[in-house]
Amino acid sequence: MHLSSPAIVLSVRPHGEHGAIVRALTPRDGVQPGYVRGGRSRAIRPVLQPANAILGEWRARTDVQLAALTVELVHSRAPLFDEALPAAALEWLTALTATLLPEAQPYPQIYAALDAVVDAVEAAPSARGWAGSIARYELLLLAELGFGLALEECVVTGAREHLAFVSPKSGGAVSRAAASGYEARLLALPAFLQAGGEAGWNEVFAGLAITRHFLERDLLTGRAAEVLAARGRLVERLQRAVA
């Protein structure tokens, strides 16, 4: 097994006295684990920061053996971890991706989306510029893993206009007219989840409420639910930024 590819670092776990086991997302070969010799050294540790863009080279004698991984830094996002909000965003994005994606399965859309949202966190002058993209990324993960929401038309009437809610049971959109009298049982659907574009803070939090509900129900169960603590820290810091 020999693979050379650009990748985004997702997680790093110490192994032995000096090494580290790294999981990184590649464009064509999905999540790839590898053992980095000296991964805990002062020279290599900054390269293995989650969210960093690297060029990785994985080598193993067999497909079932943990590959030896050598890394070259392409772009460091380490400075973002000195700021509370960007740090919380990158921690959540990488932890969620590492938790949900199976190894060695190609997810080119997820790679492109993660790369884009991490770039947005790095480039935007405030969280307002990237917070909505977190919800859209979570929505993509749900879809790619078989739990996509049906937001194109009303699940009750088939109408494509005035979609204002999401059913927490079916994951389908509900029009304002069809929701009459049942609004309290439904999740508010912000327009940016369908059409993209900018979102106000109320819309951002509404979008995050939708994706959290379905992530918790369908994907983050059992031990995987532990990763939700990182999401809680992110949302708490976003709420503080608005207050």
Side-chain angles (χ1 to χ4, degrees), residues 124-143:
S126 72
R128 174 73 179 274
W130 51 258
S133 65
I134 302 284
R136 287 195 289 268
Y137 180 70
E138 294 172 346
L139 202 65
L140 175 65
L141 279 173
L142 284 161

Side-chain angles (χ1 to χ4, degrees), residues 8 21 31 54 70 93-94 105 112 129 163 191 220:
I8 300 170
I21 295 177
V31 175
I54 62 167
T70 57
L93 289 165
T94 52
Q105 298 296 314
L163 303 178
L220 296 177

Side-chain angles (χ1 to χ4, degrees), residues 18-20 35-41 44 69:
H18 306 291
Y35 173 75
V36 179
R37 186 181 299 274
R40 300 169 66 184
S41 68
I44 301 181
L69 170 61

